[in-house]
Each structure stands twice: as C-alpha cells, then as structure tokens.
Amino acid sequence: MLLDRDDRILLIRHRYDGVIVVPGSPVGELFWVPPGGGLKEGEDFLRGARRELMEETGLTEVEWGPCLWTLDVDVRWSGEPVHMHERYFLARVRDTQTVTRAYLEPGEEQAIDDHRWWSLAELVAAEATETLRPVGLPGLLAEVLAAGGRPSGEPRVLHV
C-alpha cells in the first residue's frame, strides 16, 4: 500500500484476463489494486514487494513500513488450484516521483491499463462503481490513516 505525502494511495488498474479466479470475489473487466505480484524463487515477501513496486511503477525512493494485512486464499490459476499467500506492506514515496511503465514484465503491458493516486474520499466514492481490491479497501485505508500512517501490532487478517 503505497502512500504519497498527501496520504493518497497508488492503485493500478488491470484488465481481467481470467488467469486467476478467486471464488466468491468476482471482478469486472477492469479492476484497481495496489502494486504487487508474485514472488520469485528465493524472495521473501518484502523483497518481492520492493521488486514488484519497481517493475510496475519505476518507483524506488520509498520508505517501507510494516506488513499491514495478510490474505490467504484458495484460487484457480489457469484452471489449477493454488493457495495464495498475500502480504500488504505500508510504504511511502519520499519525494514527488513519476510513475513509469518502463520496467513492466512481458505480458504486463496489456494487463496493466492505468495507475492513479486516490484520496480516501475518492476511494469511498468509487467503491460503488469501481472494483477495488483488496475487498473493503476504503475502510482499510481509513484505519491506517486514523493510526497516523503508523499502525502497530500484528497484521490484520483479510478475508475474501
């Protein structure tokens, strides 16, 4: 969960390609998610988060915080059952930086449609018309901001 100095969250809009199906959590043709993705062999969750952020946005001047949320879910990936372990870390950009698509992996260029910085109020308003993930993102962001952007304790367990 990448925040800027104005407490806006960066979300990336993806085109749904049907590869990953999360039972009970359908998405539309387009959906918004924080930057992120899968781990490569030998990576821990934080190292994977750093790499994915750089690949999807080009942003590297980031202050990393704690793991905020976890989500463990059974999905179908290309028709095969897979158990996913998601970890959402708090991060903040240090300065104004431009988001770039220059480091996208092959295949991501078609899947990643857009990016946008969202205020909490914009997220709340968009929840009725846009698909946002994780489920309940506006409320989750509100909790983090209410804690001054410095939540403490164990990560919150999310459910689909």
Side-chain angles (χ1 to χ4, degrees):
M1 187 176 89
L2 182 64
L3 300 177
D4 69 5
R5 290 183 187 175
D6 298 321
D7 288 334
R8 297 179 305 164
I9 184 172
L10 180 68
L11 296 182
I12 296 176
R13 186 169 65 185
H14 286 260
R15 289 191 174 283
Y16 182 62
D17 59 9
V19 173
I20 301 174
V21 177
V22 182
S25 187
V27 296
E29 179 186 349
L30 299 171
F31 61 98
W32 294 92
V33 294
L39 298 178
K40 293 193 175 182
E41 191 170 329
E43 280 184 328
D44 61 24
F45 285 107
L46 184 56
R47 182 177 293 156
R50 287 180 173 140
R51 178 186 49 75
E52 286 286 346
L53 180 66
M54 194 285 299
E55 286 176 4
E56 294 183 358
T57 69
L59 301 176
T60 57
E61 296 299 314
V62 174
E63 294 176 23
W64 289 89
C67 179
L68 299 172
W69 314 310
T70 66
L71 174 64
D72 292 314
V73 62
D74 292 314
V75 303
R76 300 209 52 87
W77 191 306
S78 296
E80 298 295 320
V82 173
H83 187 78
M84 288 184 16
H85 305 279
E86 295 185 2
R87 301 298 178 260
Y88 294 85
F89 291 89
L90 177 62
R92 283 197 182 266
V93 291
R94 293 182 181 151
D95 296 309
T96 302
Q97 299 176 58
T98 301
V99 174
T100 179
R101 299 170 54 92
Y103 302 101
L104 291 176
E105 294 262 323
E108 287 181 322
E109 293 166 346
Q110 278 87 24
I112 293 178
D113 183 71
D114 197 5
H115 70 274
R116 178 177 166 190
W117 291 98
W118 297 74
S119 70
L120 178 57
E122 290 168 333
L123 270 186
V124 169
E127 196 168 27
T129 59
E130 300 282 348
T131 302
L132 307 170
R133 292 294 183 265
V135 172
L137 182 58
L140 295 167
L141 177 59
E143 290 174 5
V144 170
L145 296 179
R150 299 189 191 325
S152 60
E154 293 296 313
R156 178 176 173 176
V157 176
L158 302 181
H159 304 280
V160 176

